[in-house]
Amino acid sequence: MIEIDDLHKRYGDKTALAGVSFAVKPGEMFGFVGANGAGKTTTMRILMGVLAADSGQVRRDGRPLTFEDRRKFGYMPEERGLYQKMKVSEQVQYFGRLNGMSAAQAAKATADLLERLSLTGRAGDEVGALSLGNQQRVQLAVALVHDPEVLVLDEPFSGLDPIAVDALAEVLVERRTAGVPVLFSSHQLDLVERLCDSVGIISAGRMVASDTVEELRAREGRRLLKVVVRDAAPGWTAGLGGNITEKGDEVLFTDVNGSDQEILRAATKAGTVEHFGWERPTLTEIFREAVA
Amino acid sequence: MSGLWLVARREIATRGRTKAFVIGLVISALLVGALAFLPKLFAGPDSYTVGFVGPSTLQPALTGAAKDVEITVKPFADEAAARKAVLDGDVDAVVVDDRRVFADGEVDRELGLLLEGAHQTAQAGRQLAAAGLDAAKVAEAMRVAPLEQVSVGADTRYAGARTGIATLLVMLLFFQLLQPSMYVAMGVVEEKGSRIVEILLTSIRPWQLLGGKIVGLGALALLNLVVVIVAGLGAAAISGFASDMPPGIGGVVVSTLFWFVLGYAFFATLAAALGSLVSRQEEVSSVLTPMMMLIMAAYFVSYFAAVEPGSPVARILSMIPPFSSMVMPVRTAAGEVPLWEMGVAAALMIIATAAVLVVGARIYERAVLRTGARVKLSEVVRDGSAVAR
Ligand SMILES: Nc1ncnc2c1ncn2[C@@H]1O[C@H](COP(=O)(O)OP(=O)(O)OP(=O)(O)O)[C@@H](O)[C@H]1O
Ligand SMILES: [Mg+2]
């Protein structure tokens, strides 16, 4: 388990992190979301040891993280960096070897990864000759080549086409299933919602939510009541509590405050109730609500 | 340690495969090889073709006397044929009846001396024989040992060659110290600017990354230096210049390699530390200015030392680091250096290099992960908490 405990970081008199804490369990995919400048990259750089926190700690299974721990992590920094003049396959192998793989292991892992990321045809090209999206795939291969025990990826999906998004998602799910904690940041909330077990929302250097997706939705869920009544007499909602939005037969109630059963009775009286239930908010809605 | 070797190997493979490196290697080897032929070109030819008209007693005296010079003899039937051969440049001179010499213009100075000497010997022998002396006794009496030259000052027999070699060494060391150090700085900035250093430093330690880069690029520079030296000595052997070279050239080579390794470690580490302060290639040359000035200063002093190896300035600066890394090998090539001066120079330079390695590695470690604007040296030195490691 990776624990981030009460991180604080200031740049001059600007506070970037003001007490960030969350945990990523083995076999859990954790989506790290937040507005631009909220502190995601800062948190991840501290986690990877390329930036020092002013205070706070990062632990693995209760012990503070060491260099040796981090060597076994797979890291994709926000600002992509590759040797432009080095060939794709050589470059991925080089990073495998730096992480302690033998030449043969690195060669095999590289070939497998390039295959999965549809880069086999470009293996002998210089990285600089690749399109941005393909360079991004090489960057992923570099993060994944040594079969990391933990994955820390800063916006890994940005700049990828839908096919590559699926390929990467597949790789991440596979790693997660193998028991690897996966932490990634993203602005693509639908993707986070689809892939992640847990989500952490950061706003202005503070965690405003951190929980499983189910839990977050359930907690935020009792806000929007959707009722559909066929052949209802107009004005049946008059006098009912909450904010009301009508659209044809469909009526949305917010801020119901416990008057849901009263609404149900009124609906039954008004006509044939076709739908009555709480709307599950999307992650986007939860996010908007949380950072507002 | 393996991390360091992996980095070094990558540097060697990447830089060693570039056209710039290969072309630089070939050109510098050719250039130095060509220079080894230069003294012989200026010194004039080692062989002459001399024609003879009529029987000659001068001829055996000439071919017998000349030891360092090769003389080819060509007989001619008459004067007309001889004149034509001289004008066509087939022969350097023609001796006619042991009495006259034909040449195109003046006779070559060295050949003239040789001919005159042979003429004296032959003529004196003939005249003594005519006076009734026994031919064998005459020959015996004519055998004279040459004058022995003794210098009561410094041994200046090889002064010219020494100065030449030392001057060449100045340029060689200057380029082989400056260029790879620049490459080290550019490599550091490439990694910092592209942020690749963030991934690298989660896999290996800063000293492995820095050390690997310095070792790898240094190995290439050393290879370049060795190739140039071998090319120079090889060409000298072929051109015949080797026989004019001062004794102890092996010592000069060893001293050059020794001082190169120290000097390179010093300047390359300095370049890496300065380079790690900036993030863009455009800023490299400005941030390297102090190092460049140091190398330039060493370069000028070395030139002076090549010409005046015994002057107080050369003697003192050849013991002060980092100037010693260039001045001392140049002085060693240009003249005799007392052993104690070499010892002091080496000890001081080793201490200085070790200090630069320690301080430079620390600056690099603290600055290389600081992104954004140029890092101030004072900030790095003061604040050690930039990165948790
Ligand atoms: N080197 C720096 N110097 C000064 N301030 C910085 C530096 N790096 C980050 N910051 C500030 O710290 C805050 C957090 O930045 P961070 O990069 O962590 O945000 P982020 O959540 O990753 O944003 P984004 O979604 O845009 O990537 C921002 O206000 C940013 O301006
Ligand atoms: Mg970011």
Side-chain angles (χ1 to χ4, degrees):
Chain A
M1 182 149 90
I2 302 296
E3 287 165 283
I4 301 209
D5 186 11
D6 199 26
L7 293 184
H8 288 257
K9 177 73 187 176
R10 298 171 69 88
Y11 289 107
D13 49 7
K14 166 137 191 41
T15 303
L17 300 183
V20 169
S21 305
F22 60 89
V24 188
K25 298 187 196 66
E28 182 177 63
M29 183 114 58
F30 190 97
F32 197 23
V33 301
N36 292 134
K40 302 179 294 294
T41 299
T42 304
T43 306
M44 290 169 114
R45 293 184 79 216
I46 291 172
L47 169 58
M48 286 312 296
V50 293
L51 184 69
D54 296 338
S55 67
Q57 209 178 33
V58 186
R59 287 187 296 266
R60 183 175 185 195
D61 304 329
R63 293 176 300 100
L65 270 188
T66 64
F67 175 76
E68 282 308 318
D69 288 320
R70 291 178 172 120
R71 271 195 88 184
K72 297 178 198 121
F73 287 19
Y75 175 46
M76 182 167 175
E78 174 175 54
E79 288 198 50
R80 319 298 190 214
L82 293 169
Y83 292 110
Q84 295 290 309
K85 292 250 182 283
M86 209 173 172
K87 296 199 170 107
V88 169
S89 163
E90 276 176 22
Q91 180 139 216
V92 178
Q93 287 184 49
Y94 177 59
F95 280 97
R97 299 224 48 199
L98 285 184
N99 280 300
M101 296 176 105
S102 73
Q105 285 172 327
K108 185 175 178 329
T110 300
D112 289 351
L113 261 175
L114 294 187
E115 178 73 50
R116 294 206 60 171
L117 295 167
S118 313
L119 281 172
T120 308
R122 313 302 301 266
D125 292 352
E126 282 182 5
V127 170
L130 267 52
S131 72
L132 223 54
N134 278 337
Q135 291 192 28
Q136 165 105 338
R137 297 187 206 203
V138 179
Q139 193 85 51
L140 284 165
V142 163
L144 293 167
V145 61
H146 56 297
D147 196 9
E149 293 178 3
V150 176
L151 281 175
V152 179
L153 312 171
D154 202 349
E155 299 192 27
F157 291 100
S158 77
L160 293 182
D161 67 30
I163 311 288
V165 166
D166 288 346
L168 173 58
E170 195 183 304
V171 175
L172 295 189
V173 167
E174 181 189 286
R175 301 278 77 222
R176 185 259 315 265
T177 312
V180 169
V182 179
L183 167 66
F184 73 87
S185 68
S186 180
H187 292 297
Q188 285 149 280
L189 297 179
D190 51 334
L191 204 62
V192 173
E193 187 166 12
R194 178 153 69 84
L195 289 175
C196 292
D197 309 298
S198 297
V199 174
I201 302 175
I202 186 171
S203 176
R206 274 173 232 278
M207 295 304 287
V208 289
S210 169
D211 221 323
T212 63
V213 176
E214 278 316 303
E215 200 41 55
L216 279 178
R217 291 171 105 184
R219 195 182 310 150
E220 301 290 319
R222 298 184 152 267
R223 290 177 174 280
L224 188 67
L225 184 64
K226 181 171 152 189
V227 183
V228 181
V229 185
R230 197 151 14 98
D231 309 326
W236 68 270
T237 55
L240 293 171
N243 289 321
I244 299 166
T245 324
E246 288 191 50
K247 199 172 89 193
D249 287 346
E250 185 181 304
V251 186
L252 293 175
F253 294 82
T254 50
D255 299 328
V256 177
N257 289 332
S259 58
D260 47 327
Q261 294 308 312
E262 192 186 323
I263 294 170
L264 177 60
R265 278 194 292 277
T268 323
K269 216 179 284 170
T272 316
V273 178
E274 210 160 63
H275 179 96
F276 180 91
W278 294 105
E279 277 296 88
R280 311 270 274 153
T282 62
L283 186 58
T284 310
E285 286 160 341
I286 297 175
F287 177 76
R288 289 225 172 85
E289 191 70 29
V291 303
Chain B
M1 210 57 188
S2 73
L4 190 149
W5 294 125
L6 284 167
V7 175
R9 259 187 28 194
R10 196 198 82 87
E11 294 295 338
I12 292 172
T14 316
R15 172 66 47 194
R17 274 191 303 207
T18 59
K19 272 205 203 88
F21 178 76
V22 177
I23 292 175
L25 188 67
V26 171
I27 287 183
S28 54
L30 285 179
L31 218 59
V32 171
L35 284 178
F37 280 91
L38 219 51
K40 285 294 154 187
L41 289 182
F42 284 119
D46 285 343
S47 64
Y48 298 98
T49 308
V50 181
F52 286 91
V53 177
S56 174
T57 50
L58 190 155
Q59 184 186 324
L62 179 67
T63 47
K67 283 209 189 66
D68 303 342
V69 187
E70 197 184 311
I71 305 253
T72 312
V73 172
K74 244 188 191 171
F76 288 97
D78 52 33
E79 285 187 21
R83 277 176 199 277
K84 186 175 178 323
V86 169
L87 287 177
D88 290 351
D90 292 343
V91 291
D92 296 299
V94 177
V95 179
V96 184
D97 300 330
D98 280 2
R99 209 167 299 145
R100 277 176 299 157
V101 177
F102 289 172
D104 190 357
E106 272 180 65
V107 184
D108 176 279
R109 217 169 73 90
E110 194 180 355
L111 181 60
L113 289 172
L114 285 170
L115 287 172
E116 196 57 45
H119 175 60
Q120 299 277 342
T121 310
Q123 201 58 31
R126 198 159 346 120
Q127 284 169 10
L128 287 169
L133 288 161
D134 175 41
K137 284 216 176 111
V138 170
E140 182 73 24
M142 299 286 285
R143 197 170 299 137
V144 178
L147 286 174
E148 187 188 351
Q149 289 191 14
V150 178
S151 168
V152 290
D155 185 354
T156 54
R157 265 177 302 167
Y158 301 106
R162 274 181 182 277
T163 306
I165 292 172
T167 311
L168 195 59
L169 212 52
V170 174
M171 284 192 283
L172 209 57
L173 282 170
F174 175 67
F175 279 112
Q176 291 307 327
L177 288 176
L178 182 63
Q179 207 185 33
S181 300
M182 294 276 295
Y183 285 145
V184 167
M186 281 157 58
V188 167
V189 174
E190 180 197 2
E191 285 168 354
K192 182 180 179 182
S194 70
R195 306 293 172 84
I196 204 167
V197 72
E198 283 198 12
I199 318 176
L200 289 167
L201 290 186
T202 53
S203 305
I204 53 174
R205 301 282 192 181
W207 65 264
Q208 292 176 310
L209 182 55
L210 180 62
K213 191 171 286 299
I214 291 176
V215 167
L217 292 170
L220 286 178
L222 194 61
L223 172 76
N224 202 331
L225 196 60
V226 168
V227 164
V228 166
I229 289 174
V230 168
L233 292 180
I238 295 168
S239 73
F241 175 56
S243 59
D244 295 343
M245 282 206 286
I249 197 77
V252 171
V253 171
V254 170
S255 133
T256 301
L257 295 180
F258 170 81
W259 284 104
F260 165 75
V261 170
L262 280 182
Y264 170 74
F266 183 95
F267 287 113
T269 311
L270 194 58
L274 293 174
S276 71
L277 300 177
V278 300
S279 305
R280 293 184 301 132
Q281 296 292 354
E282 300 91 288
E283 295 172 299
V284 172
S285 63
S286 79
V287 82
L288 284 188
T289 306
M291 186 204 80
M292 305 277 260
M293 281 166 68
L294 216 51
I295 292 197
M296 290 301 277
Y299 174 69
F300 288 125
V301 177
S302 302
Y303 251 125
F304 180 68
V307 187
E308 297 282 348
S311 63
V313 176
R315 284 185 61 187
I316 292 169
L317 284 177
S318 72
M319 285 186 274
I320 295 179
F323 304 104
S324 48
S325 61
M326 278 180 78
V327 183
M328 187 48 99
V330 168
R331 249 190 91 197
T332 312
E336 308 290 333
V337 179
L339 219 50
W340 73 267
E341 290 186 13
M342 287 192 201
V344 169
L348 290 180
M349 185 66 191
I350 287 172
I351 293 170
T353 306
V356 166
L357 278 172
V358 169
V359 176
R362 189 148 307 161
I363 291 173
Y364 172 82
E365 189 176 331
R366 289 179 186 175
V368 78
L369 283 168
R370 289 214 196 174
T371 51
R374 176 168 169 170
V375 183
K376 286 200 194 70
L377 204 55
S378 56
E379 277 173 41
V380 185
V381 174
R382 201 169 353 100
D383 175 19
S385 71
V387 166
R389 287 209 156 255

